[in-house]
Amino acid sequence: PRTITPNGTGVQPSAGPGFPLSGEELRDLVRRALEEDGAFDDVTTLATVLSDRTARGRLVAREAGVVAGVPLAVEAFRQLDPKVTIRVDAEDGARVVPGTTVLFLSGHARGLLSAERVALNFLQRLSGIASYTRRFVDAVAGTRAQIFDTRKTTPGWRKLERFAVRAGGGVNHRFDLASAVLVKDNHLASLDGDVRLAVRRARELAPPGTPVQIECDSRAQVEAALDAGADMVLLDNMEPALLAECVALARGRAITEASGGGTLHT
């Protein structure tokens, strides 16, 4: 455990390894979340809790999973009570079981109550992503497969949600549209389905060294993509038997990814 003390001594809540926000970004995001929730004008707490009342509390895991988002929760409590003392018992990436204490808090009762929901919103959302990712990572343990995320993130939360994937043992795919070429079915539709042309144009027009990946939903498309020299082939919504066939076809020629229809069972 580490303890964050009110006078600035001890370990600070800013980023552990890989946390995606700078100190300024962290403070700004949390402040906007608190303002959105009206936490600085919490009329219920102001009306019912004495101004000099102190309190202690714990944030406890109710389910087994993986923790993510601790710095955000810590910052929420610190902004409502700069003198709060926080003991961190479970860091980002830690596995927890029901009943595990994540944070132990001691401070101003009003501050703890008004910050509680924002702190939990950050922790629950990100820990949920980390926990779900870990289930898939565990499912492929012992193989050479890796679990990747996608760009289907909550707008404005991409850095955080992709950090949560890493906390759960997953790997980040391309961060945005500018990071790599991924030719999808709608791109192919604009080229009358010509896979070879799509790969060739990507090679010609993308910055040198940019990986070229193409989405395929049939063996014929996979063969065309491999012949055209694609670096990666995304096997889209394929049944497991066809998926295995295409992986074997591409072995040694391109990296393969499976996307769509993936469950713990399949």
Side-chain angles (χ1 to χ4, degrees):
R2 62 184 173 100
T3 300
I4 301 159
T5 55
N7 63 1
T9 61
V11 180
Q12 293 303 302
S14 59
F19 189 75
L21 304 184
S22 67
E24 182 178 352
E25 288 174 324
L26 172 64
R27 289 187 293 272
D28 179 64
L29 175 61
V30 172
R31 174 162 290 278
R32 284 188 284 113
L34 291 167
E35 289 173 346
E36 177 185 63
D37 200 36
F40 297 100
D41 300 291
D42 178 359
V43 292
T44 307
T45 297
L46 292 171
T48 60
V49 180
L50 296 176
S51 62
D52 59 352
R53 179 71 181 266
T54 59
R56 294 183 296 173
R58 294 187 303 148
L59 268 62
V60 177
R62 292 186 177 179
E63 299 178 14
V66 177
V67 174
V70 168
L72 294 150
V74 167
E75 181 64 20
F77 288 112
R78 285 172 63 93
Q79 288 198 20
L80 267 295
D81 178 12
K83 295 184 179 180
V84 68
T85 295
I86 304 173
R87 189 185 72 215
V88 180
D89 287 348
E91 300 281 3
D92 288 335
R95 290 196 188 223
V96 294
V97 297
T100 301
T101 298
V102 178
L103 299 179
F104 181 84
L105 307 141
S106 179
H108 192 244
R110 286 182 173 179
L112 297 183
L113 287 168
S114 297
E116 174 191 15
R117 175 45 53 196
V118 167
L120 286 172
N121 285 349
F122 281 122
L123 268 179
Q124 289 175 316
R125 173 70 179 168
L126 298 178
S127 295
I129 293 171
S131 300
Y132 195 59
T133 301
R134 176 55 67 179
R135 292 174 63 191
F136 281 83
V137 171
D138 288 346
V140 300
T143 74
R144 293 195 300 163
Q146 294 179 305
I147 302 299
F148 279 74
D149 57 16
T150 75
R151 286 173 37 250
K152 298 172 184 176
T153 52
T154 305
W157 273 56
R158 181 165 297 181
K159 287 182 180 180
L160 292 174
E161 291 181 344
R162 302 197 109 174
F163 165 72
V165 167
R166 297 196 301 273
V171 181
N172 295 148
H173 205 269
R174 60 174 181 164
F175 186 79
D176 54 30
L177 292 171
S179 301
V181 172
L182 173 48
V183 180
K184 297 177 69 68
D185 52 359
N186 287 332
H187 299 109
L188 286 175
S190 70
L191 294 173
D192 298 321
D194 192 331
V195 171
R196 291 178 177 82
L197 176 60
V199 174
R200 186 174 75 246
R201 286 178 60 83
R203 287 267 184 246
E204 292 172 352
L205 299 176
T210 301
V212 174
Q213 182 174 17
I214 188 163
E215 179 181 282
C216 299
D217 56 20
S218 69
R219 180 186 172 110
Q221 283 189 330
V222 172
E223 291 174 340
L226 294 172
D227 290 344
D231 298 301
M232 293 174 281
V233 179
L234 190 151
L235 308 171
D236 184 48
N237 284 299
M238 290 186 177
E239 294 296 324
L242 178 58
L243 187 70
E245 182 182 332
C246 290
V247 168
L249 184 67
R251 184 170 292 120
R253 302 174 68 186
I255 295 170
T256 50
E257 295 183 6
S259 177
T263 68
L264 288 171
H265 175 70
T266 60

